[in-house]
Amino acid sequence: MRKRLRKKKHLGEFKEWCVSVEVHLDPGVDYQAFLDDWIESAIEGNQCQFGGGGKSPLLEGIIQLGMASHGLQERLTEIRDWLEQHPAVQEYQFGPLIDCWYDSGDAH
């Protein structure tokens, strides 16, 4: 398959990876302030995108990490570190890496 077609179909080196996330916050936390910080610092700060939402004290959704050749594991590590250090986060959980376009679940 030609490179242009692989890119258009998000295949091969153009495959994009996502991970689901669930974040539990401490009771009484300003949810909107946390959400703003989450989007600006953890997500956009690592050149990722987030789709999801929730209501206090739960935030859940999908993080689009990009292509493997663009530092996928480093981005995930940065987001994990951000969650570990944020005082409002009680606990969090990531799902497995999945193909954003085809949901194969195979990160190899």
Side-chain angles (χ1 to χ4, degrees), residues 1-107:
M1 185 179 297
R2 292 181 178 225
K3 184 176 182 177
R4 180 180 59 81
L5 195 51
R6 287 192 315 272
K7 183 175 182 182
K8 185 175 183 174
K9 292 186 173 215
H10 304 278
L11 296 172
E13 69 270 32
F14 301 105
K15 188 180 289 190
E16 295 181 23
W17 295 103
C18 297
V19 65
S20 63
V21 64
E22 187 174 291
V23 181
H24 296 269
L25 304 173
D26 290 329
V29 167
D30 183 348
Y31 188 77
Q32 192 60 47
F34 174 82
L35 193 56
D36 289 344
D37 195 21
W38 164 252
I39 296 296
E40 290 175 19
S41 301
I43 302 301
E44 291 176 353
N46 288 293
Q47 295 82 43
C48 296
Q49 296 178 22
F50 177 76
K55 120 180 169 181
S56 189
L58 177 64
L59 172 68
E60 56 188 345
I62 300 285
I63 302 170
Q64 189 271 350
L65 296 163
M67 294 180 275
S69 62
H70 294 153
L72 153 72
Q73 289 298 335
E74 292 82 3
R75 289 178 180 183
L76 187 55
T77 299
E78 288 292 325
I79 293 169
R80 180 177 280 122
D81 291 346
W82 187 91
L83 287 167
E84 293 272 339
Q85 296 170 7
H86 199 285
V89 175
Q90 197 172 51
E91 65 179 329
Y92 65 90
Q93 180 176 351
F94 288 112
L97 285 173
I98 58 171
D99 182 324
C100 293
W101 291 90
Y102 299 102
D103 193 19
S104 69
D106 181 19

